[in-house]
Amino acid sequence: MGEQHTVKFPQDVVAEYAALGVDLPALFSAGHLGSRMGIRIVEAAAERVVGTMPVEGNTQPYGLLHGGASAVLAETLGSIGSMLHGGSTRMAVGVDLNCTHHRGARSGLVTGVATPVHRGRSTATYEIVITDEQDKRVCTARLTCMLRDVRPGDADLLPGAPASGPA
């Protein structure tokens, strides 16, 4: 889990955020909670976000992947897609998450893939499918994020952003 990896971003997104001095890997990461859970973002674009999470360390008392862990992975991936859709001048805030747990996972990695259901001006909704290493569906989730304009005081909330933040 301590290994370095590079998230695959579309080049236009890299250029947009680099011009603002924003650290993309920090901004579009899983944050402190995601780091503790071992979430790794593999690919990130408004059209598709892919991430993995180990089952080990994220289980409930019966040794199965905790449903809350699946929810954290789903919200992380859907939020990243929503942030990328909104661009550097918008902030994505989750307002609704639902998860259906189809089967348990006891070991290995689970992979989540978030794809847009709706990408509008004020909201974005993503479906997130989480599968095990045998490509069997573990969980299906749907996340809706509200998109709002970034305000000057929001700069402090963005990891890796310069003191003035995005305009």
Side-chain angles (χ1 to χ4, degrees):
M1 289 204 298
E3 68 190 49
Q4 292 282 334
H5 73 279
T6 304
V7 179
K8 179 181 167 190
F9 288 105
Q11 189 56 44
D12 60 325
V13 173
V14 172
E16 176 184 359
Y17 284 88
L20 298 169
V22 175
D23 179 0
L24 267 177
L27 182 59
F28 297 118
S29 73
H32 295 293
L33 175 60
S35 294
R36 283 194 303 271
M37 296 179 70
I39 294 175
R40 179 175 168 238
I41 307 305
V42 177
E43 176 185 332
E47 298 78 25
R48 176 180 156 98
V49 182
V50 179
T52 63
M53 180 179 67
V55 173
E56 184 178 343
N58 294 311
T59 58
Q60 39 89 309
Y62 296 114
L64 298 170
L65 178 64
H66 196 291
S70 293
V72 169
L73 177 59
E75 184 147 358
T76 299
L77 300 178
S79 292
I80 291 171
S82 296
M83 288 188 289
L84 288 167
H85 166 64
S88 62
T89 63
R90 308 297 303 272
M91 178 181 275
V93 181
V95 294
D96 183 61
L97 173 68
N98 84 43
C99 300
T100 301
H101 306 287
H102 305 291
R103 68 180 331 108
R106 291 188 177 277
S107 63
L109 284 178
V110 291
T111 300
V113 178
T115 54
V117 173
H118 167 77
R119 291 188 297 164
R121 288 178 292 167
S122 60
T123 62
T125 301
Y126 281 75
E127 177 185 61
I128 305 93
V129 174
I130 300 172
T131 57
D132 63 16
E133 289 179 322
Q134 289 73 45
D135 206 29
K136 292 185 178 180
R137 193 176 291 223
V138 172
C139 176
T140 303
R142 187 187 69 240
L143 173 71
T144 298
C145 288
M146 175 182 66
L147 302 173
R148 69 166 180 82
D149 292 337
V150 172
R151 295 179 285 225
D154 293 334
D156 296 337
L157 304 174
L158 303 176
S164 61

